[in-house]
Amino acid sequence: MWVEVSLKSVKESRVQTSTNESQLLARIGQGDEVALGDLYDRYSRPVYSMVLRITQSETEAEEIVQDVFLKVWRSAGSFDAERAKVFTWITTVARNKAIDRIRSLRRRLPVSGRPDGSDLVEDVADSTDPLGNAIFADESLRLSHMVNELPVKQCQAIQLAFFEGLTHTEIAGRLGETIGTVKARIRLGMEKLRQKVKGAIDDFGGIK
Amino acid sequence: MISEALNEQAALYALDALQGDERLAFLKSLAADSELAGLVAEYRDASAWVAHSAREVTPPSELKRRILALASRERVTPPSPLMMLARPVKNSQDGLQPLIPWALAAGFAIFAGILWGNSKQSNADTSQLARQREIVTGLFARVAELEGNAESRERALASMVEEVRILQETNRLADVQLDILSSKLDASGLASVVWDPASQQGVLQVLRLPEPGAGQDYQLWVIGPDRQLPVSAGIFRVNPDGSATVNFAPAQPVPSATTFAVTLEKAGGVLEPEGPVVIAN
């Protein structure tokens, strides 16, 4: 009984979080800086981590994250949260910028880095929406496991495309595999991810 | 029913791993198939979550403060008294020849995007869709017939497709406009702007712009009759070959933008245009 109540509570919280996210965007569109801060608290860490992984440069990662959230600030009013997912939008914009940078510069700099672990604790206490951020953080952890649980070769091919901006031909060259093999691995891995993400959305009313 | 081959291409496309002719062929299919567009959207949602497989690093705490400060400043940026760039739109044909393949490619990409968007609406205006499909087909044929450097055409097309895809992310493509900018200083610089007035976002592509001098930056301005003053859309850098692709949004809304111009300004940009106009339409 307790478990059922808890589960229901969690599901309701997730649905509420999704709704809150649309409301956050609406508030940002109206010039609400607190809402922008809340959205930042929710998404900045995965977005920054992704961009840092792609660019291998803390300076560029900061610039890109800054650009992306300012873009959100300017464009939130016209974003249709019912038709597109906020996280997909933000991630796509950030990744495009990061990939553009590495394609134009084609260089890798060592990451000076912060110590693992010591900086991973999100300061949700400062957020005005700690519950929403905590739920998103929990979802992120689950989905990061989901990606890493893919068969190694599928995960590797997908990550080369995603983080290094390589085409299937380039991935085949990098891995010493045929193009057909690489395509099939990406297709299988992406299909698994798609089903899992879709399932998560169906279960919890939307990961927006 | 989506074929296995298209399904595979959709997965690759969502990761931007599809290339060349295969990418173009897929885009053509995508333009005409709402079910396929839905599958791509799901794959793109899935690909976004690959971001979480990166080792988690918390951004520096000052970044949030900086972003919020910039956001706050944008809202209170005082307007400039200058209107040096404002002028009616010109339809100059000078120097446009090299851009014809580019413009056609952009046209194709935009129409493909419009078709993609329209195809998602059930029972849309079928006669309009049919007309647009004819246009797309015609554009495909004309792009293929054009003389010139095939590699550069493909690169330009791929680039423009990317731009349209970015605009698609905000689901505001229907009113997208394309403007060609030409050099105002010499014959070298060329640029195009894909502008979406609904979302107030655009993509600037430049070619053959020289590196700005030390202590200088290029700055983009958006001008329209509903704004007395040019509105800054930010500074940008060019690659060593003089090219750049810049996603931009003006600091203030410009509902009826008619002119896009690039000026050479002091490093970091200015609130009001001060330097020479480098390229404009």
Side-chain angles (χ1 to χ4, degrees):
Chain A
M1 181 65 179
W2 180 87
V3 172
E4 286 177 9
V5 171
S6 295
L7 189 59
K8 187 181 175 194
S9 167
V10 168
K11 286 186 179 182
E12 285 173 349
S13 297
R14 289 174 198 272
V15 172
Q16 188 182 1
T17 299
S18 173
T19 306
N20 287 346
E21 200 153 79
S22 299
Q23 292 168 349
L24 265 186
L25 261 289
R27 284 169 51 203
I28 294 170
Q30 292 164 0
D32 185 337
E33 291 166 27
V34 175
L36 180 65
D38 281 350
L39 195 77
Y40 177 92
D41 290 339
R42 189 170 298 179
Y43 290 144
S44 62
R45 189 167 58 171
V47 172
Y48 178 80
S49 305
M50 171 192 71
V51 174
L52 182 61
R53 166 88 178 262
I54 293 171
T55 63
Q56 300 285 292
S57 161
E58 290 179 339
T59 304
E60 290 192 358
E62 286 181 34
E63 280 180 16
I64 289 171
V65 169
Q66 177 178 305
D67 287 350
V68 168
F69 279 94
L70 287 176
K71 186 184 180 85
V72 169
W73 175 247
R74 296 169 187 137
S75 311
S78 62
F79 182 77
D80 187 349
E82 297 303 315
R83 293 181 60 189
K85 294 176 180 59
V86 176
F87 183 65
T88 301
W89 178 44
I90 291 175
T91 305
T92 302
V93 172
R95 179 179 175 271
N96 286 342
K97 285 177 179 287
I99 294 291
D100 282 350
R101 295 276 177 98
I102 63 165
R103 279 180 179 162
S104 62
L105 298 174
R106 278 296 172 201
R107 56 96 182 83
R108 291 285 191 279
L109 296 173
V111 182
S112 57
R114 294 176 172 75
D116 273 348
S118 63
D119 56 354
L120 296 185
V121 181
E122 185 73 8
D123 191 5
V124 292
D126 288 344
S127 168
T128 58
D129 184 19
L131 174 63
N133 292 344
I135 290 170
F136 180 78
D138 173 56
E139 203 66 67
S140 300
L141 186 63
R142 199 164 67 89
L143 287 162
S144 69
H145 288 160
M146 193 172 82
V147 174
N148 291 324
E149 283 169 1
L150 288 174
V152 172
K153 290 182 175 177
Q154 291 174 16
C155 185
Q156 187 181 34
I158 288 171
Q159 288 186 326
L160 281 171
F162 188 84
F163 289 115
E164 298 197 28
L166 300 185
T167 64
H168 57 69
T169 306
E170 292 167 331
I171 295 168
R174 176 80 69 88
L175 299 178
E177 302 280 3
T178 65
I179 291 173
T181 299
V182 166
K183 283 181 171 180
R185 283 180 187 163
I186 289 177
R187 153 84 165 86
L188 287 170
M190 287 291 286
E191 178 60 26
K192 287 173 190 167
L193 286 180
R194 184 175 77 90
Q195 293 298 340
K196 288 182 179 181
V197 170
K198 203 175 168 189
I201 291 171
D202 292 343
D203 282 352
F204 299 117
I207 309 167
K208 287 190 171 183
Chain B
M1 182 68 183
I2 298 170
S3 70
E4 271 301 304
L6 275 178
N7 198 320
E8 183 175 87
Q9 289 173 343
L12 291 160
Y13 178 79
L15 279 170
D16 301 321
L18 204 57
Q19 65 188 117
D21 293 342
E22 202 174 4
R23 183 184 179 92
L24 297 183
F26 177 76
L27 193 73
K28 193 175 178 182
S29 301
L30 186 61
D33 187 341
S34 59
E35 187 184 3
L36 185 59
L39 179 65
V40 167
E42 288 184 4
Y43 273 135
R44 210 178 281 288
D45 286 339
S47 74
W49 290 92
V50 178
H52 286 286
S53 63
R55 181 177 69 87
E56 285 219 332
V57 180
T58 300
S61 56
E62 66 268 19
L63 182 58
K64 180 180 179 182
R65 283 193 291 273
R66 195 161 72 225
I67 290 170
L68 292 178
L70 285 169
S72 179
R73 197 182 309 161
E74 276 190 10
R75 192 140 51 100
V76 296
T77 298
S80 155
L82 295 181
M83 190 55 187
M84 59 188 280
L85 289 171
R87 61 186 179 285
V89 182
K90 290 193 296 183
N91 291 317
S92 168
Q93 298 299 311
D94 296 341
L96 294 187
Q97 189 64 26
L99 280 176
I100 288 174
W102 192 359
L104 282 173
F108 153 69
I110 290 166
F111 277 108
I114 290 168
L115 280 178
W116 182 80
N118 284 351
S119 63
K120 292 176 78 174
Q121 300 172 6
S122 59
N123 300 319
D125 183 338
T126 51
S127 62
Q128 187 183 350
L129 279 178
R131 282 196 301 276
Q132 289 175 339
R133 285 197 181 101
E134 285 177 17
I135 293 169
V136 170
T137 306
L139 284 167
F140 259 115
R142 290 176 65 186
V143 168
E145 287 168 7
L146 282 167
E147 295 181 357
N149 185 312
E151 187 184 348
S152 65
R153 278 211 309 273
E154 184 180 336
R155 204 165 48 240
L157 175 56
S159 181
M160 296 302 284
V161 168
E162 285 303 304
E163 293 163 14
V164 172
R165 185 174 62 73
I166 291 168
L167 290 167
Q168 285 173 342
E169 291 301 325
T170 58
N171 297 295
R172 291 284 192 277
L173 195 63
D175 298 320
V176 164
Q177 69 187 67
L178 171 72
D179 286 288
I180 304 297
L181 284 63
S182 56
S183 174
K184 300 299 172 187
L185 294 181
D186 54 43
S188 62
L190 292 167
S192 75
V193 166
V194 177
W195 170 247
D196 177 19
S199 66
Q200 291 287 296
Q201 296 173 79
V203 183
L204 167 74
Q205 273 218 330
V206 300
L207 285 177
R208 301 197 296 271
L209 268 190
E211 288 269 359
Q216 291 183 306
D217 273 326
Y218 288 118
Q219 187 162 2
L220 176 63
W221 304 90
V222 183
I223 299 164
D226 35 19
R227 285 275 173 197
Q228 286 189 324
L229 309 163
V231 177
S232 173
I235 59 172
F236 64 92
R237 302 167 190 160
V238 294
N239 298 318
D241 65 356
S243 68
T245 300
V246 183
N247 304 309
F248 69 88
Q252 301 167 55
V254 186
S256 306
T258 56
T259 303
F260 301 89
V262 173
T263 60
L264 190 58
E265 305 290 357
K266 62 187 176 190
V270 291
L271 292 176
E272 306 162 357
E274 297 168 359
V277 179
V278 180
I279 46 177
N281 60 346

